[in-house]
Amino acid sequence: MSYNKNQKLELDIIDMTKDGLGVAKKDSQVFFVKDAVPGDKVSAVVTKVTSNVIYAKTLDVISKSKYRVEPMCKVANRCGGCKLLNLDYDKQIELKKENTLNTISKIGKFDKDLLHNYYDGILTIETKKNYRNKMQVPFVMKNEEVVYGFYAGRTHHIVEFDNCVVGFKYSDIILKIIKENIAKHNISIYDENTGEGVFREVMLRKGNSTHEISITYILNDKNVDKHMSLYQAFDTDVLTDIKDKLSHLGKDSSITSTINVNTGNNNVLFGKENIVLSGKGHIEDSIGTIRYHISPESFYQVNIEMTKKLYDKIIDYADFKGNEKVLDLYCGIGTISLYVARNVKSVLGVEIVDKAVENAKENTKLNSITNAHFICLDTSKLDTENIKKCDNTLDYDTVIVDPPRSGLDGRTLDFIKDIDPEKIIYVSCDLATLARDLDYFCHNGGKYSLKKFLNVDMFPHTMHIETVALLHHILG
Ligand code: SAH
């Protein structure tokens, strides 16, 4: 049977895509259905027909799934952020587990029945609200008024929000104050269509244990120096208003603010130039007993409660004896390197962002750690020569990798294979590239076997999931 756009039909939802669309099957066709969850029976209308999937939108829920819950956010079905807010948390976890096993078996070419033997399940979270320590929020003009919001999924349409339920507490107050002061100081808003206007986005970050806050204004201004008195006056008002408001609430935070100049007409958040307006230019936070300085340009995990569980799991999987040499690739501000340093002989961290490497070096001193070193390098340029600049032997026992979603590039894979470590610990935020790289290490002559893996639920209410895998060298 063929289906056409605008056709209405009834569908039983049996699964969910990673973008939070309900999945249904009818007449050998697969349907991806907006606003539907597994267990629902819905009446829907076809919105788009492609060669392998038909997209549809729920018109009415005929019988409600037992997994359906009332979303705790007013813009739940419109904002591109949390796609699973209308799904019970236990069901979210079940879907993430299934998705993990399916992806690793399919793309990684592992036998699914055997894979269960290596799977340690999922570490779940206590705090399902306000878990994000970072908010990145675009500002736009709407009906001649300054507004902010998040992009609706895969569009450039802004969905306004009052209070993001996963953003850190009081971020809503800070965003409103920034918005009021943009209007008060007449700062123009960037228009991505014309490339004109100044104010693009704000990035907020908060230390989980210290409650320190950093505010970064991302501005499209080639003459930022010329307009500095305006930005300083604006920032002073923002900080005064925040302090007033938070002290009414009985809260006290040390705040630092910076400008990042981004004059590029693209989707990259940060430009190259950073200017500190007030405070020390970074925040401090701690995970376990390790303290970290974090600059706005540096990567830092967004969910620290779960990051601690993740890092503890790395130590558990690595089973360090104390004499290991460790290579930590994609090390950011040295978070993992410094977390494991006291359990090993030495760690070398490699990271592409120079500010993050600067933070990592500072953090080494901050924690009086003497056996961790860092280099600023693109991992795809790793070779024996540039590693030897800071280490004269390449006898690494354990390699930890924590790459971005794209996973490991061919050069990095080959480098790890060449240095032949006994153990590889792969931390991943993307199941498909993790599976692809596990296939490289474990099959077709790869000298490793998958020993264990597990998920860490860093991003509740989204289909995103963090995974840690332990590989052992097959000796001989
Ligand atoms: N392990 C760290 C950071 C993980 S995020 C933590 O847990 O906090 C991935 C990091 O890889 C980011 O800091 C990013 O800047 C860095 N990165 C991305 N591409 C890279 C490359 N080609 N070479 C080196 N580092 C890279």
Side-chain angles (χ1 to χ4, degrees):
M1 162 136 188
S2 68
Y3 289 89
N4 303 314
K5 192 170 170 181
N6 296 328
Q7 189 170 341
K8 291 183 182 159
L9 73 168
E10 285 186 8
L11 292 167
D12 289 308
I13 309 300
I14 51 169
D15 201 352
M16 205 154 198
T17 69
K18 70 176 182 15
D19 292 322
L21 299 172
V23 179
K25 284 193 183 142
K26 193 170 187 154
D27 303 323
S28 323
Q29 302 267 21
V30 178
F31 292 81
F32 286 175
V33 190
K34 196 166 176 301
D35 302 334
V37 305
D40 277 345
K41 185 184 192 70
V42 299
S43 75
V45 58
V46 173
T47 51
K48 188 173 155 190
V49 178
T50 70
S51 55
N52 46 8
V53 176
I54 298 174
Y55 291 86
K57 191 170 80 183
T58 299
L59 295 172
D60 194 20
V61 181
I62 299 168
S63 70
K64 217 160 123 180
S65 164
K66 62 178 181 194
Y67 307 117
R68 197 176 250 283
V69 294
E70 197 51 44
M72 55 180 168
C73 168
K74 285 189 198 137
V75 293
N77 294 327
R78 294 187 289 126
C79 157
C82 307
K83 303 253 175 64
L84 306 185
L85 273 169
N86 51 4
L87 198 62
D88 170 64
Y89 185 68
D90 290 345
K91 187 67 181 173
Q92 293 183 17
I93 293 299
E94 194 185 311
L95 285 179
K96 289 183 188 192
K97 283 181 171 177
E98 274 168 28
N99 189 30
T100 300
L101 290 166
N102 286 341
T103 310
I104 296 201
S105 64
K106 230 185 254 167
I107 301 178
K109 306 188 192 85
F110 290 88
D111 181 301
K112 197 170 168 194
D113 293 330
L114 290 178
L115 210 52
H116 281 277
N117 300 336
Y118 310 121
Y119 183 48
D120 285 338
I122 184 161
L123 299 178
T124 55
I125 186 167
E126 299 295 321
T127 326
K128 297 174 190 77
K129 276 177 100 172
N130 304 115
Y131 65 79
R132 286 188 67 93
N133 61 12
K134 182 180 132 180
M135 310 269 291
Q136 184 185 313
V137 184
F139 281 68
V140 295
M141 286 309 278
K142 192 170 160 190
N143 304 328
E144 300 185 16
E145 208 198 313
V146 178
V147 299
Y148 60 85
F150 289 128
Y151 291 114
R154 291 171 206 265
T155 71
H156 269 220
H157 169 68
I158 291 279
V159 177
E160 290 168 64
F161 62 86
D162 245 359
N163 184 359
C164 172
V165 293
V166 297
F168 66 83
K169 268 195 189 149
Y170 311 120
S171 53
D172 54 332
I173 293 177
I174 300 176
L175 288 168
K176 278 183 200 129
I177 289 172
I178 292 172
K179 174 179 136 163
E180 284 159 15
N181 278 291
I182 291 174
K184 177 177 166 190
H185 288 267
N186 256 326
I187 298 175
S188 61
I189 296 287
Y190 177 71
D191 178 341
E192 62 180 1
N193 297 315
T194 60
E196 280 169 18
V198 168
F199 206 101
R200 297 175 80 128
E201 304 203 15
V202 161
M203 191 191 87
L204 305 177
R205 203 177 242 165
K206 181 166 176 251
N208 196 52
S209 57
T210 57
H211 305 291
E212 292 182 4
I213 292 172
S214 71
I215 305 177
T216 308
Y217 312 109
I218 295 142
L219 304 183
N220 171 50
D221 187 351
K222 288 196 175 83
N223 297 309
V224 77
D225 291 342
K226 224 168 97 187
H227 305 130
M228 198 46 90
S229 54
L230 167 66
Y231 299 137
Q232 267 157 350
F234 158 77
D235 181 55
T236 304
D237 281 354
V238 167
L239 298 191
T240 310
D241 291 352
I242 294 173
K243 286 203 169 120
D244 276 358
K245 211 50 184 247
L246 291 187
S247 70
H248 286 319
L249 294 167
K251 305 285 159 198
D252 188 23
S253 278
S254 130
I255 305 179
T256 181
S257 54
T258 53
I259 289 177
N260 176 273
V261 183
N262 183 355
T263 54
N265 200 353
N266 52 36
N267 292 331
V268 180
L269 177 65
F270 280 135
K272 285 218 165 70
E273 195 187 352
N274 273 291
I275 302 154
V276 177
L277 286 175
S278 66
K280 52 192 178 177
H282 63 257
I283 57 161
E284 186 174 320
D285 199 13
S286 54
I287 306 178
T289 57
I290 307 293
R291 294 162 63 195
Y292 301 102
H293 282 178
I294 309 140
S295 295
E297 311 92 297
S298 303
F299 174 89
Y300 188 53
Q301 297 285 357
V302 298
N303 180 340
I304 296 307
E305 176 188 336
M306 296 314 283
T307 300
K308 178 163 188 323
K309 292 191 185 180
L310 168 71
Y311 292 177
D312 286 338
K313 201 35 99 173
I314 293 173
I315 292 187
D316 172 32
Y317 273 11
D319 190 25
F320 294 124
K321 303 289 180 244
N323 54 354
E324 288 87 354
K325 269 184 69 172
V326 177
L327 185 63
D328 177 19
L329 301 181
Y330 310 88
C331 68
I333 58 168
T335 24
I336 299 174
S337 305
L338 299 175
Y339 204 82
V340 305
R342 294 196 175 114
N343 298 291
V344 301
K345 186 171 153 203
S346 67
V347 196
L348 177 65
V350 180
E351 163 63 42
I352 199 167
V353 173
D354 51 7
K355 194 73 198 178
V357 175
E358 224 178 85
N359 285 158
K361 290 179 178 169
E362 262 166 58
N363 293 336
T364 311
K365 287 196 197 122
L366 190 66
N367 292 284
S368 310
I369 287 173
T370 50
N371 62 341
H373 301 277
F374 296 93
I375 44 170
C376 186
L377 195 69
D378 179 342
T379 56
S380 70
K381 300 201 169 57
L382 272 174
D383 61 35
T384 43
E385 288 317 304
N386 51 35
I387 282 277
K388 275 184 179 164
K389 281 183 198 148
C390 32
D391 193 358
N392 44 26
T393 56
L394 290 168
D395 48 349
Y396 293 99
D397 304 285
T398 304
V399 173
I400 300 170
V401 297
D402 184 4
R405 286 194 194 152
S406 50
L408 304 177
D409 63 273
R411 184 81 184 264
T412 310
L413 286 167
D414 290 344
F415 177 80
I416 298 172
K417 191 172 88 179
D418 288 348
I419 61 172
D420 213 27
E422 202 181 304
K423 290 176 192 165
I424 300 171
I425 295 179
Y426 197 133
V427 182
S428 163
C429 55
D430 186 285
L431 286 167
T433 55
L434 168 68
R436 180 201 66 199
D437 296 343
L438 291 181
D439 181 40
Y440 171 92
F441 285 122
C442 301
H443 303 139
N444 298 321
K447 286 199 251 161
Y448 290 85
S449 64
L450 176 62
K451 285 289 166 198
K452 307 180 201 185
F453 67 109
L454 98 168
N455 301 119
V456 183
D457 194 27
M458 289 268 214
F459 317 103
H461 317 305
T462 79
M463 270 305 261
H464 294 294
I465 188 78
E466 199 81 4
T467 308
V468 195
L470 169 69
L471 307 181
H472 273 191
H473 197 278
I474 305 166
L475 298 170

